[in-house]
Amino acid sequence: MIKTVIKRNGSAEDFSASKINGWSEWASKSLGGLVDWSSVVIEAVSQCPETCSTIDLQKKLIDVCVSRRSWEYNRMAGRLYASLIKRELYGDEYPTVQELHSTMFNDGLMVKLNYSVEEYKQINKIIDHTMDLKYPHYQLNQIRYKYALRNKVSKQEYESAQFTFMRMAMALAENEKTDKLLHVQKYYEHFSYSRLNAPTLNYTNLGTVLNGYASCCLYTTDDSAKSLATGDHIAYMMTCNSAGIGTHIKTRSIGEPVRAGMIPHQGKLPYYRAMVGAVQANLQNGRGGASTVHYTAYDPEVEVIQKLRHPLTPEAKRISGCHYSFGSNKFFARKVAKNEEYAPFSYLGNPELYEAQYIADSTAFEDLYSKHEQTATKKLNAREIVVSALTQAYDTGVQYLHFTDTINKHTPFKEKIYSSNLCQEVMLPTKPFKDVQDLYSDESEGEIGLCSLAGIVVSNIESDEQYAEVAYYALKMIDTCIHKSDYPFKSLEKTAKARMSAGVGIIGLAHLMAKKGKQYSDIEGLNFIHELSETHAWHLINASLKLGKELGNAPWISKTKWPDGWLPIDTANKNIDRFTTVGYKRDWGQLRSEIIANKGIRNSVLIAHMPSESSSISMGTTNGVYPIRELNLMKTNDTLTNHWSAPDGTKLAAKYQQAWDISSSDLIKCYAVIQKFTDNGISADLYVRLEGSQKVSSTQIIQDYLDMVKFEMKSRYYVNSKTSSGLNLGDEPELCESCTL
């Protein structure tokens, strides 16, 4: 039992139960009577020594609340934590925004922002520190230890959550010519009210000397020593710039001739190892870089590549430092459905056929393939290959899928797309560089794909008008960051500013679905997702049109279909309409006319649904478009652990549909509906429960694959398994006659 407490000034006084009761009762206000504050006090006091500091006592109250594992107790912990952060960082009074910025500038953490003393005074009236009291504990903790500026060596802290949001808002609006403070206020409020979700790099770099903001980088190489070396340099430098890497290495296969047969080629594996070394040589915010290698079913080395991370692969042959994405097209899927053999081909031996697999119309591919098949000596069973690739997803967790024809069909881009990014939601044109020197020239014909991300927290949007405004500021934020960025290569700066590629996703879908009483697995839920996805696309396209009128269209907009009036609904898969019963709610014809009249829009591409595993925590919501896995989870990122609770989890417990209770078939349909309105892609996860005697059969995983092809998903990200007991592949692939395309 506590007898003595040590105050912040070092003085001691007798323990007063009334004071701790007052703290806890205050912290439980506005939580609807769903917390028992008195029991929190009793448990906390019982765990403290006889002499205890007031700070340690407050931390113990927070720990007890967090350990109760519910949304309301996490909110109570948040109120206590917000008060604690203020006391630990600032004492009794918050500094003004200008005072804090001056301190951080003098300490080398910030640059001077373009604001006058009078503007700083007005900004100080905008910031609202009471907003911290509305956040759950994990939201404050994520911002404090991952996003707020700090000296990571001395551990000196500077920013509470509201100061972090204000720094971002001011950095984004500092060069506005008109309504500067209005833009500051809009950015700040959308961040603070958890409507506009920014990527990690915006949190950590805005207002500092670091000006790298692109989340995603894609590149391809050509089949030459210099081009392959250039790819390694791209991977190295872009990892230094905090981008995740999507890799497509275009080269010949093992044993094929080099220099007229003087040297047998070593195949792709040595180049994968070199790329992994380049990526892992650098750290990003304390962790290693990451990359996804894209290969296809037609690669002669496919059987080896798909098992490079498998624990049973001999260690000397294993390449575990990257992720892998298995590519295929509809022609291959038909071979799978019919349980037929197919003939792989190499880039060196069949360059036209290789390139044809990345064309939306399969006619050219099939004509070239039929000629190749007549003379091919190597044949593989398509079903066995796809089962092997798909089971790797369960065994290793990082064997993804991409569909080479669909990514080149359902897109605004006219030029060829070879791959996705690290997380499989961004598909952009890339062109190989001939030499490293080409990277540093703005005359190069090569191109790195670069995409800047943002998210709209749909569960916190209060009206259609507010959705439109948040969409506008999401794209405006991306626009500003593209132009603020420092680029490691001249060629990249040129193409990034010419393309203006954006990826704005939906965040907090599971929370919104629970609030509306909708399920992922029924027709009402699919109709709701259809309407929301249409709303999302509608507002973003309109926002890009508005920005195009204000700032000018993307310089390379002519390389897209937008000037012709293209809309995502034009190339969407028609099979999707079989399982939704709602039509369009928006006047797409009018919007098409406006786009044509404006000769395009501000951005080459607009929508990508990212995982937001980290940034969604800073918004206090559910991540991306995914269903929740549990009502309460421990989320670990780098060295930071957060005890996450689903928003309104107690009140909406019966409304939240957990991912493990949604079949792959139902979730694929949800993703297909979202993809209908998405010009880029989706980090589309699947979930499978493998508890006890529950198994997954080859029949099921093949049918899931064929459904993804049928409904034209562009990619599939993780397959998450709950307490795996192994895969049941007892029904041999040749017996799976029920699998259809």
Side-chain angles (χ1 to χ4, degrees):
M1 180 69 180
I2 303 174
K3 293 183 178 179
T4 305
V5 293
I6 308 300
K7 300 176 70 175
R8 189 159 49 88
N9 63 9
S11 63
E13 67 176 33
D14 292 340
F15 171 68
S16 170
S18 63
K19 287 186 178 180
I20 190 173
N21 286 339
W23 290 354
S24 300
E25 187 175 10
W26 165 82
S28 68
K29 283 184 178 179
S30 78
L31 298 179
L34 295 173
V35 296
D36 180 3
W37 64 263
S38 61
S39 69
V40 172
V41 171
I42 293 169
E43 185 176 346
V45 170
S46 69
Q47 295 178 17
C48 290
E50 288 187 355
T51 300
C52 179
S53 72
T54 55
I55 288 180
D56 287 342
L57 180 53
Q58 193 164 355
K59 287 180 178 178
K60 182 56 67 175
L61 287 171
I62 292 168
D63 290 343
V64 170
C65 287
V66 169
S67 71
R68 297 288 177 95
R69 292 173 57 80
S70 81
W71 169 251
E72 287 73 23
Y73 278 106
N74 209 292
R75 283 283 313 281
M76 181 178 173
R79 288 172 65 85
L80 291 166
Y81 193 37
S83 174
L84 179 65
I85 291 171
K86 177 188 175 184
R87 289 170 60 191
E88 289 188 326
L89 270 61
Y90 314 117
D92 294 328
E93 295 293 334
Y94 288 103
T96 67
V97 176
Q98 186 172 18
E99 287 169 345
L100 183 65
H101 285 190
S102 294
T103 299
M104 291 197 289
F105 172 76
N106 292 332
D107 290 354
L109 273 76
M110 276 190 71
V111 297
K112 275 191 179 292
L113 297 178
N114 183 27
Y115 291 89
S116 66
V117 172
E118 183 57 37
E119 286 173 326
Y120 262 110
K121 288 180 180 177
Q122 294 303 313
I123 286 166
N124 213 59
K125 295 177 182 178
I126 296 171
I127 195 168
D128 181 3
H129 293 289
T130 65
M131 286 298 298
D132 287 352
L133 300 173
K134 300 180 181 180
Y135 298 163
H137 175 270
Y138 62 79
Q139 183 174 2
L140 291 168
N141 204 47
Q142 180 79 352
I143 295 170
R144 180 179 185 180
Y145 288 109
K146 188 172 177 66
Y147 295 141
L149 295 188
R150 57 171 45 220
N151 185 318
K152 294 183 180 179
V153 177
S154 69
K155 311 300 182 185
Q156 173 68 40
E157 296 183 66
Y158 297 84
E159 293 183 318
S160 64
Q162 301 309 311
F163 280 126
T164 300
F165 291 142
M166 184 55 80
R167 167 177 52 83
M168 294 165 64
M170 291 176 66
L172 288 167
E174 66 173 328
N175 294 319
E176 291 289 341
K177 304 300 182 186
T178 59
D179 298 323
K180 183 177 176 180
L181 294 187
L182 176 62
H183 290 305
V184 170
Q185 181 175 355
K186 291 295 185 182
Y187 275 125
Y188 168 73
E189 288 180 352
H190 292 320
F191 290 141
S192 183
Y193 282 86
S194 301
R195 299 173 191 138
L196 174 55
N197 184 50
T200 295
L201 293 173
N202 290 30
Y203 279 97
T204 58
N205 292 0
L206 281 168
T208 78
V209 295
L210 300 174
N211 281 315
Y213 303 103
S215 304
C216 307
C217 162
L218 300 74
Y219 73 89
T220 190
T221 72
D222 217 338
D223 186 30
S224 71
K226 288 184 177 181
S227 184
L228 290 162
T230 304
D232 293 340
H233 188 60
I234 294 169
Y236 181 95
M237 292 301 296
M238 293 309 296
T239 300
C240 288
N241 280 262
S242 300
I245 310 296
T247 302
H248 172 251
I249 295 178
K250 190 193 300 184
T251 189
R252 64 198 75 187
S253 297
I254 192 166
E256 292 191 311
V258 179
R259 296 180 186 172
M262 293 177 65
I263 303 170
H265 199 271
Q266 298 180 83
K268 297 173 186 63
L269 272 58
Y271 298 105
Y272 291 173
R273 286 194 178 92
M275 182 275 299
V276 168
V279 168
Q280 295 191 336
N282 299 288
L283 293 177
Q284 299 177 343
N285 289 321
R287 63 177 174 82
S291 62
T292 295
V293 169
H294 295 75
Y295 70 102
T296 76
Y298 298 107
D299 195 304
E301 298 177 75
V302 61
E303 295 167 289
V304 175
I305 295 171
Q306 64 186 200
K307 295 180 180 179
L308 288 176
R309 280 190 67 115
H310 199 281
L312 296 182
T313 298
E315 189 170 349
K317 297 183 179 180
R318 209 182 302 162
I319 305 177
S320 302
C322 61
H323 304 180
Y324 296 90
S325 184
F326 175 85
S328 61
N329 59 8
K330 291 185 179 67
F331 179 82
F332 176 79
R334 289 197 294 271
K335 293 284 188 180
V336 172
K338 296 175 183 178
N339 196 20
E340 295 179 348
E341 289 188 329
Y342 75 103
F345 49 82
S346 73
Y347 175 66
L348 179 67
N350 295 275
E352 287 186 73
L353 182 55
Y354 184 96
E355 295 293 342
Q357 67 183 308
Y358 299 98
I359 297 175
D361 184 357
S362 64
T363 304
F365 175 85
E366 292 182 28
D367 288 345
L368 290 167
Y369 177 85
S370 63
K371 296 174 185 176
H372 160 69
E373 191 175 39
Q374 293 172 12
T375 57
T377 56
K378 182 177 181 178
K379 296 287 183 71
L380 298 172
N381 181 276
R383 193 168 283 184
E384 290 176 359
I385 289 296
V386 83
V387 167
S388 178
L390 295 170
T391 54
Q392 298 302 308
Y394 295 87
D395 291 338
T396 71
V398 287
Q399 183 84 204
Y400 313 138
L401 300 176
H402 67 285
F403 301 98
T404 58
D405 46 359
T406 301
I407 63 177
N408 283 283
K409 170 182 178 272
H410 189 43
T411 177
F413 293 109
K414 295 179 180 178
E415 293 150 298
K416 191 167 292 181
I417 299 170
Y418 288 105
S419 73
S420 188
N421 65 321
L422 171 68
C423 301
Q424 304 296 284
E425 83 275 23
V426 169
M427 291 87 173
L428 305 173
T430 54
K431 293 179 183 177
F433 291 83
K434 295 178 181 179
D435 191 282
V436 171
Q437 298 303 318
D438 290 344
L439 291 168
Y440 296 92
S441 168
D442 56 11
E443 300 298 322
S444 172
E445 294 182 2
E447 182 175 357
I448 299 168
L450 203 66
C451 191
S452 299
L453 304 179
I456 297 176
V457 187
V458 294
S459 51
N460 293 332
I461 299 296
E462 298 173 354
S463 67
D464 201 53
E465 293 74 21
Q466 192 175 82
Y467 208 127
E469 184 173 280
V470 176
Y472 174 80
Y473 278 98
L475 289 179
K476 193 175 181 67
M477 174 175 69
I478 288 171
D479 201 295
T480 301
C481 288
I482 289 173
H483 287 90
K484 269 182 173 284
S485 282
D486 293 330
Y487 295 91
F489 313 122
K490 283 187 177 180
S491 60
L492 182 58
E493 180 174 8
K494 172 190 171 183
T495 56
K497 292 179 179 178
R499 293 284 191 190
M500 297 296 296
S501 294
V504 182
I506 286 172
I507 310 293
L509 176 60
H511 183 205
L512 181 61
M513 296 274 282
K515 286 169 71 174
K516 299 294 185 181
K518 307 296 183 183
Q519 301 280 291
Y520 283 80
S521 56
D522 62 26
I523 186 65
E524 287 188 10
L526 284 171
N527 284 341
F528 180 77
I529 290 171
H530 188 282
E531 291 181 5
L532 178 66
S533 300
E534 181 182 10
T535 294
H536 189 72
W538 172 264
H539 287 310
L540 283 164
I541 296 171
N542 272 284
S544 187
L545 178 63
K546 181 179 179 181
L547 285 166
K549 293 175 180 178
E550 292 174 359
L551 303 172
N553 294 335
W556 280 7
I557 200 67
S558 62
K559 294 177 181 282
T560 73
K561 306 167 193 170
W562 291 108
D564 303 322
W566 177 86
L567 295 167
I569 58 175
D570 296 337
T571 50
N573 183 266
K574 303 306 179 187
N575 290 318
I576 297 166
D577 296 331
R578 298 179 187 177
F579 45 79
T580 55
T581 58
V582 290
Y584 298 130
K585 305 295 185 181
R586 309 286 177 166
D587 189 349
W588 291 100
Q590 177 62 33
L591 180 57
R592 190 193 307 276
S593 299
E594 292 181 32
I595 294 171
I596 293 172
N598 197 56
K599 299 180 181 179
I601 56 178
R602 179 66 173 168
N603 307 91
S604 291
V605 69
L606 290 166
I607 305 162
H609 300 284
M610 67 295 298
S612 70
E613 185 65 49
S614 178
S615 60
S616 63
I617 299 174
S618 69
M619 293 283 102
T621 191
T622 58
N623 52 319
V625 296
Y626 303 141
I628 64 167
R629 284 170 284 168
E630 309 285 347
L631 284 169
N632 299 282
L633 287 170
M634 187 176 291
K635 292 193 174 188
T636 303
N637 188 284
D638 303 333
T639 59
L640 180 62
T641 297
N642 279 303
H643 295 264
W644 179 90
S645 292
D648 303 311
T650 304
K651 181 173 66 175
L652 299 177
K655 303 294 185 181
Y656 272 108
Q657 189 177 22
Q658 294 190 17
W660 315 112
D661 299 325
I662 305 170
S663 70
S664 295
S665 176
D666 286 335
L667 205 48
I668 287 167
K669 290 177 182 177
C670 293
Y671 291 136
V673 170
I674 296 169
Q675 187 67 73
K676 177 179 181 179
F677 297 97
T678 302
D679 55 357
N680 220 317
I682 309 169
S683 296
D685 277 14
L686 297 179
Y687 304 82
V688 59
R689 190 192 297 273
L690 296 173
E691 297 174 311
S693 61
Q694 292 176 309
K695 309 279 186 178
V696 61
S697 67
S698 60
T699 302
Q700 182 60 54
I701 61 176
I702 291 171
Q703 190 58 60
D704 288 345
Y705 166 79
L706 295 176
D707 284 347
M708 285 182 255
V709 175
K710 180 178 181 179
F711 300 128
E712 292 190 337
M713 284 177 58
K714 288 187 175 183
S715 62
R716 190 223 66 216
Y717 195 31
Y718 284 103
V719 174
N720 303 278
S721 53
K722 185 176 183 181
T723 316
S724 176
S725 59
L727 295 174
N728 174 15
L729 299 180
D731 53 336
E732 294 297 330
E734 62 266 27
L735 300 179
C736 302
E737 299 301 336
S738 61
C739 295
T740 59
L741 180 62

